[in-house]
């Protein structure tokens, strides 16, 4: 393998890792919003609500 090929492989690998991390963050965020935001378990919803207020983030 040449140095150029190694560099190209590293660039593709870094790009793939970046895309995978972004997709994982999006999926995790949607899950958290969907689960906590619309949870019928009152304790879960209240914990998220109280956390938002504790961080001075308005929610209503």
């Amino acid at each position: 393998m040449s140095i150029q090929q190694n560099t190209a492989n590293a660039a593709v690998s870094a790009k793939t890792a970046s895309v995978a991390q972004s997709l994982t963050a999006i999926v995790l965020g949607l899950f958290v919003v969907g689960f906590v935001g619309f949870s019928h378990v009152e304790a879960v919803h209240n914990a998220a609500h109280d956390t938002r207020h504790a961080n001075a983030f308005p929610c209503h």
Side-chain angles (χ1 to χ4, degrees), residues 6-32:
N6 284 340
T7 303
N9 287 343
V12 169
S13 180
K15 180 70 173 178
T16 302
S18 177
V19 169
Q21 289 173 354
S22 297
L23 289 175
T24 301
I26 289 168
V27 169
L28 181 61
L30 289 173
F31 173 76
V32 168

